Amino acid sequence: MKQLFLLLIAGLVMFLTTTNSFAEKYHGEFCWQVFSESGEPYWNYKLGIYEKEGGHVALYGSIDYGPNGISATHGNAVYIGDRIKFTLNSADYEEGMEVFAETFAAKLNSSTLNGTWNALTLEIFEDETFPSSVHQSGTISLIPC
């Protein structure tokens, strides 16, 4: 009986120290408006920000394309001096399009959380055989969610 009790205590200690090693801090939900180079509003991101142990930042959320719908997205971020760089990956099916896949990269000022972005999108339309690639860039601004 004593050995079983010691085994349970040892297991509990191991469990508690293991869960602490996977610690993360939820910073909340943040939203950004994405603009073209000419200032035309494109889409919005709504992202949950999770800081993992070791300074790694995970991003999970959605893109709101307005009348074109909402898609899931995920990515990560890193702090580099007074900048935050983040990359998001998204893929979805839209009506009139077979599929699209996008890699979005932004560079933000860490004090304002505003900055610039670039994206590479691959699109395959229903009436086409080969994908077309589109490069876009512009500015990105923090907005209330």
Side-chain angles (χ1 to χ4, degrees):
M1 186 69 162
K2 183 178 178 180
Q3 291 174 334
L4 180 61
F5 178 73
L6 290 174
L7 183 62
L8 288 173
I9 295 296
L12 182 61
V13 168
M14 287 174 47
F15 175 76
L16 291 174
T17 57
T18 300
T19 56
N20 286 339
S21 68
F22 295 109
E24 69 180 18
K25 180 180 179 186
Y26 180 62
H27 289 281
E29 196 167 68
F30 291 78
C31 295
W32 283 272
Q33 172 72 57
V34 174
F35 297 92
S36 70
E37 287 180 331
S38 64
E40 176 186 355
Y42 276 172
W43 58 84
N44 294 336
Y45 282 110
K46 181 187 268 189
L47 301 170
I49 310 294
Y50 298 85
E51 187 169 356
K52 305 285 189 173
E53 199 170 78
H56 303 284
V57 179
L59 313 168
Y60 300 100
S62 61
I63 310 167
D64 185 346
Y65 292 102
N68 291 331
I70 296 176
S71 299
T73 190
H74 68 280
N76 69 300
V78 294
Y79 296 95
I80 300 174
D82 66 342
R83 296 273 184 209
I84 299 169
K85 289 186 175 182
F86 72 79
T87 302
L88 298 172
N89 292 296
S90 310
D92 200 357
Y93 167 82
E94 291 181 4
E95 200 163 316
M97 187 185 301
E98 279 295 317
V99 69
F100 81 91
E102 180 173 81
T103 299
F104 178 94
K107 187 173 11 176
L108 306 177
N109 179 299
S110 61
S111 62
T112 65
L113 299 180
N114 298 326
T116 58
W117 65 273
N118 284 276
L120 179 60
T121 307
L122 295 175
E123 302 171 332
I124 301 175
F125 290 92
E126 291 176 352
D127 58 349
E128 294 179 359
T129 307
F130 297 101
S132 61
S133 63
V134 178
H135 174 262
Q136 301 176 74
S137 60
T139 60
I140 182 169
S141 297
L142 186 67
I143 60 171
C145 289

